[in-house]
Amino acid sequence: MPALCLVLGLLWTGPVIAESAEIIALGDSLTAGYGLPAEAGFVPQMQAWLVAEGVEAHIVNAGVSGDTTAGALARLDWALAPEADAVIVTLGGNDLLRGLPPEEARANLDTILSRIAARGLPVLLVPITAPGNYGPEYKAAFDAIYIDLAAEHGALLSEPFLAPILVLPDRQAAMTEYVQPDGLHPNAKGVALVVEALGPEVERLLARVK
């Protein structure tokens, strides 16, 4: 009997603890948390949301303020740490601010998604909606980038990053309450709305982690 107990004791090592998945949040100032206290940006608020939901995951902030799709592509190799299990891609806002051609943003995002796919990592692509001041053709071409590339690369596609704010019935009141004075970046309350909308999408992303 003692020998049997010893054998069983050697075979049983206790419950297996799954390691926390690592998500790389690749983006620009919207991801980086521009203009906000460290704890109020998109990544820390999304991390807190996941913890509250009991989700085992760690998000790495790979957002760089001012980054275009070209800038993100240039730093992609070092941004994708070897430990990465999944990627959230939120890019395109600075391409829009500079009025860069939609075909350039499309080509850069296409390459970014291809390189991520080569690593076997699932992706959540978060669109940025073009304003109408560049004309309807520009807007249609830019907005289509995310739909087309998500389909081509098999990436998850969420609603646009700022949609939870922009869909509120009183646009002027929403901008005052949820957006910083620059009119571009959400404040802490605005980020909370974004996180509430994107949280379930991040859970869907994690479900794809192998």
Side-chain angles (χ1 to χ4, degrees):
M1 189 67 173
L4 178 59
C5 291
L6 177 61
V7 171
L8 291 175
L10 291 173
L11 291 176
W12 186 82
T13 57
V16 176
I17 307 294
E19 292 186 0
S20 176
E22 181 162 296
I23 305 171
I24 306 298
L26 181 70
D28 49 33
S29 55
L30 294 175
T31 299
Y34 174 85
L36 296 172
E39 71 279 3
F42 171 72
V43 169
Q45 286 207 47
M46 180 60 75
Q47 183 71 66
W49 188 93
L50 292 173
V51 170
E53 293 293 314
V55 177
E56 291 286 339
H58 171 65
I59 307 179
V60 176
N61 193 339
V64 173
S65 294
D67 235 0
T68 59
T69 54
L73 175 57
R75 64 184 175 87
L76 181 63
D77 289 340
W78 64 259
L80 293 180
E83 301 81 13
D85 296 300
V87 186
I88 301 171
V89 176
T90 309
L91 292 162
N94 290 301
D95 296 66
L96 285 173
L97 288 175
R98 300 181 187 188
L100 299 178
E103 56 269 24
E104 291 184 11
R106 177 184 287 268
N108 292 330
L109 283 170
D110 189 17
T111 303
I112 287 171
L113 293 176
S114 294
R115 290 190 184 178
I116 295 173
R119 287 275 306 272
L121 303 176
V123 175
L124 172 62
L125 184 59
V126 184
I128 301 297
T129 304
N133 57 303
Y134 292 125
E137 292 184 3
Y138 184 101
K139 177 173 174 57
F142 200 95
D143 290 353
I145 291 172
Y146 302 93
I147 298 171
D148 295 345
L149 292 183
E152 291 173 18
H153 292 274
L156 291 173
L157 181 68
S158 74
E159 64 180 8
F161 189 90
L162 295 175
I165 298 172
L166 299 180
V167 299
L168 294 173
D170 189 333
R171 175 69 66 87
Q172 185 173 356
M175 293 295 288
T176 300
E177 185 172 0
Y178 297 109
V179 178
Q180 296 181 45
D182 63 8
L184 297 172
H185 299 89
N187 59 25
K189 291 174 62 178
V191 171
L193 290 182
V194 172
V195 167
E196 183 178 354
L198 288 182
E201 300 301 318
V202 175
E203 288 188 296
R204 289 177 61 208
L205 175 66
L206 288 167
R208 292 190 172 193
V209 173
K210 298 178 180 179

